[in-house]
Amino acid sequence: MLVRHLIQTARAAVATFPKYQSSHTTAAPLWSKYHWHAYSQMTHTTMKITTPQFERVFTPGIRRLADIFKQYNYELRIAGGAVRDLLMGKQPHDIDFATTATPEEMKDMFTKEEIRMINTKGEKHGTITARLMEENFEVTTLRIDVVTDGRHAEVEFTTDWQLDAERRDLTINSMFLGLDGTLYDFFNGKQDLDDCKVLFVGNAVKRIQEDYLRILRYFRFYGRIAKEPNQHCADTLQAIRENADGLAGISGERIWMELKKILVGNHAASIMKSMYELQLYPYMGLPRAANISEFHAVYERSKVIEAKAATLLAALMKDENDVMTMDERLKISAEERKTAAFVVNNRGEKAHDDVFKPYKDLIMANQRKEKNIVQYVLEVLKYQGDTHIYEGIKSWPLPVFPVTGRDLIAAGIPKDKKFGHMLNNIRDVWIESDYKLTKDELMVKLLELAKNR
């Protein structure tokens, strides 16, 4: 309530200022820079967009949603990431909405209009998911954070758009877009987007302490928005450094969700270096003695063939123990853990006259126990930046070992303790032949081996 009172008082003071017409209006010469900054923070920048991307947003489902909210006299605007994407000329994949209607008001409205509602888990946070014309739409009531613990927040609903914008993490994520194309920008998010800057809304320390995962969200969006590496605001980095230990209370799954997006984004090498300098690594399960130079090299040389996040992360690991320690903290998927471990155990140049042969052999030697062995080997080649070998292995038709256990039985080989050993021996002979020996030729070799049992 105190915050709302202060905002209302500030707005009353703004009434004495000249009207702010647009983001390009020049302040009166007698105003100090301080006065102009205070004024711009207490008002909001508006403009209209009429881009093809914005026009394509209006599916039949969204038009119907808009009509319902208008019919019941509730405001509805596009919120967050979709606004940012539209301003960048991108077509948003997911569109979230914000509204002045409370969850109960939305439920009543949708019920009257016979609109099905699904996924009620978000209701206590103000989110109602409505299904219209085979599309799901998440609509969230404007809210303020009453109590935060660095992970979760208790919220209070409001009808004040600026108060809702103020609780968001970054200025570029704090904008709203009316369905008529009007942009509502309370914290200069549009200007920051134009300048390719990533800044917290208001006080960085406060924003971080509301949810410590915002530390990693900052770096993720830096990779998406910034044109150049290492152009961070010094105050932002200091706020992150002072609150790094807050990540200890964040679940590994949430950290990994952000970290893997950082790894495959822009500027990942410099961002990783910054995160180590800011002492974030212990809270992500990463090794203290990581090889940052190796990570930088792997990141740069694998850009063309797009290594997976787990592959890039392997560059920081000395051995499989480091992988297990990281997995214990981040709870990555079994497939991601296997990828990182395989890369760690098999990276490094493999000397051979035929550059493809070591990797073909690696596949064939592990084919029976690892169904995704080809993908693991391809990740090793991405790690090493061997595009020529990568393309060759990727297009290599896997040969099928022509001899089976039944063939050995038919040839009179007794099914005793040495049976499996015999089959493996003949497989080795086939691999040494570069997979060229036929079944008949292998059976001749088999009988020769059987005589020497």
Side-chain angles (χ1 to χ4, degrees):
M1 295 300 180
L2 176 61
V3 173
R4 184 180 298 153
H5 173 72
L6 290 173
I7 292 293
Q8 290 170 345
T9 302
R11 285 177 177 167
V14 169
T16 64
F17 292 173
K19 290 294 183 183
Y20 181 46
Q21 299 296 331
S22 75
S23 59
H24 301 290
T25 303
T26 303
L30 295 179
W31 283 17
S32 70
K33 289 179 68 176
Y34 171 77
H35 286 138
W36 180 248
H37 176 73
Y39 172 62
S40 67
Q41 289 295 304
M42 289 188 288
T43 62
H44 62 269
T45 302
T46 60
M47 58 174 281
K48 278 202 173 185
I49 66 170
T50 56
T51 62
Q53 292 84 1
F54 177 63
E55 296 300 326
R56 284 196 290 270
V57 162
F58 290 92
T59 63
I62 288 181
R63 292 185 187 280
R64 173 66 177 134
L65 186 73
D67 288 342
I68 292 171
F69 276 82
K70 184 176 181 181
Q71 177 185 339
Y72 286 83
N73 295 315
Y74 298 118
E75 291 183 86
L76 181 72
R77 297 175 186 172
I78 298 171
V83 181
R84 181 191 66 243
D85 288 346
L86 286 167
L87 290 174
M88 294 175 70
K90 298 178 180 179
Q91 196 67 47
H93 297 294
D94 298 306
I95 299 178
D96 294 327
F97 295 90
T99 182
T100 52
T102 66
E104 287 300 321
E105 289 168 338
M106 282 192 278
K107 285 163 64 178
D108 182 60
M109 176 175 63
F110 289 138
T111 300
K112 288 178 179 177
E113 296 298 320
E114 298 182 347
I115 302 298
R116 185 160 69 95
M117 289 168 279
I118 60 176
N119 189 21
T120 58
K121 292 181 179 179
E123 188 176 327
K124 67 178 181 180
H125 300 294
T127 300
I128 298 294
T129 303
R131 184 160 181 81
L132 291 83
M133 300 182 180
E134 300 184 354
E135 289 185 88
N136 296 336
F137 298 104
E138 287 191 359
V139 187
T140 302
T141 304
L142 298 179
R143 54 195 177 170
I144 56 176
D145 294 338
V146 179
V147 178
T148 60
D149 63 2
R151 293 180 297 172
H152 310 291
E154 292 181 20
V155 299
E156 176 183 301
F157 302 132
T158 181
T159 57
D160 190 315
W161 292 91
Q162 182 163 340
L163 289 178
D164 185 277
E166 189 176 16
R167 62 173 290 278
R168 295 176 182 260
D169 55 0
L170 305 170
T171 61
I172 57 174
N173 294 334
S174 69
M175 297 175 281
F176 301 102
L177 188 62
L179 300 185
D180 63 349
T182 301
L183 177 70
Y184 298 89
D185 180 9
F186 298 96
F187 296 100
N188 299 322
K190 172 67 165 60
Q191 188 61 56
D192 289 340
L193 198 59
D194 290 344
D195 294 340
C196 302
K197 290 182 179 178
V198 181
L199 298 171
F200 284 100
V201 172
N203 186 298
V205 171
K206 183 178 180 183
R207 293 289 84 79
I208 290 170
Q209 290 177 350
E210 289 167 347
D211 183 353
Y212 290 102
L213 191 66
R214 287 174 171 176
I215 290 173
L216 298 185
R217 282 178 58 81
Y218 165 80
F219 285 115
R220 170 159 70 91
F221 281 104
Y222 188 91
R224 292 183 62 178
I225 303 300
K227 286 186 177 180
E228 300 294 332
N230 298 319
Q231 298 296 311
H232 307 283
C233 170
D235 289 343
T236 297
L237 293 185
Q238 184 59 29
I240 290 172
R241 185 191 306 275
E242 291 173 358
N243 291 278
D245 60 354
L247 286 172
I250 303 297
S251 71
E253 292 88 344
R254 292 183 72 204
I255 288 177
W256 177 232
M257 190 177 297
E258 294 295 330
L259 180 56
K260 65 182 173 182
K261 291 175 183 176
I262 293 171
L263 290 166
V264 297
N266 297 325
H267 316 311
S270 65
I271 288 174
M272 183 60 69
K273 186 172 185 290
S274 294
M275 290 197 297
Y276 261 83
E277 290 172 348
L278 295 169
Q279 303 293 303
L280 303 186
Y281 65 89
Y283 310 108
M284 297 186 285
L286 301 181
R288 178 185 180 88
N291 190 335
I292 300 297
S293 297
E294 173 73 355
F295 179 86
H296 187 280
V298 172
Y299 174 75
E300 290 298 328
R301 67 187 179 225
S302 66
K303 280 182 178 179
V304 178
I305 42 183
E306 298 182 348
K308 292 181 179 179
T311 301
L312 293 167
L313 206 55
L316 298 171
M317 312 293 173
K318 181 178 64 176
D319 52 32
E320 195 168 342
N321 288 331
D322 283 347
V323 176
M324 296 302 109
T325 300
M326 177 265 296
D327 177 48
E328 185 177 347
R329 172 66 179 108
L330 299 183
K331 304 295 189 294
I332 65 178
S333 71
E335 194 60 28
E336 289 166 332
R337 183 183 66 250
K338 285 183 178 181
T339 298
F342 190 88
V343 170
V344 165
N345 290 329
N346 292 281
R347 61 191 169 189
E349 297 296 329
K350 295 171 174 52
H352 198 283
D353 292 339
D354 178 356
V355 294
F356 297 100
K357 188 71 165 59
Y359 301 101
K360 290 179 179 179
D361 291 352
L362 192 56
I363 290 171
M364 300 311 296
N366 292 277
Q367 188 180 27
R368 287 177 296 172
K369 60 182 179 181
E370 289 291 356
K371 64 178 182 178
N372 294 324
I373 185 60
V374 175
Q375 293 305 316
Y376 297 159
V377 171
L378 289 176
E379 288 303 309
V380 169
L381 292 168
K382 289 178 184 179
Y383 181 101
Q384 294 170 183
D386 293 323
T387 53
H388 172 63
I389 305 176
Y390 170 83
E391 292 298 337
I393 295 297
K394 185 179 178 182
S395 60
W396 180 49
L398 287 182
V400 178
F401 182 47
V403 177
T404 67
R406 291 181 180 179
D407 294 322
L408 269 66
I409 292 171
I413 305 299
K415 199 170 182 180
D416 54 17
K417 293 182 180 180
K418 295 183 178 180
F419 186 86
H421 185 63
M422 289 289 291
L423 190 59
N424 288 335
N425 282 346
I426 204 63
R427 179 187 289 272
D428 291 341
V429 170
W430 176 65
I431 291 173
E432 285 299 318
S433 74
D434 201 15
Y435 323 105
K436 293 175 182 177
L437 289 179
T438 65
K439 178 178 178 178
D440 290 341
E441 291 170 329
L442 288 170
M443 292 306 294
V444 170
K445 298 282 187 181
L446 175 69
L447 293 174
E448 290 176 358
L449 289 172
K451 291 178 181 178
N452 298 321
R453 284 176 55 139

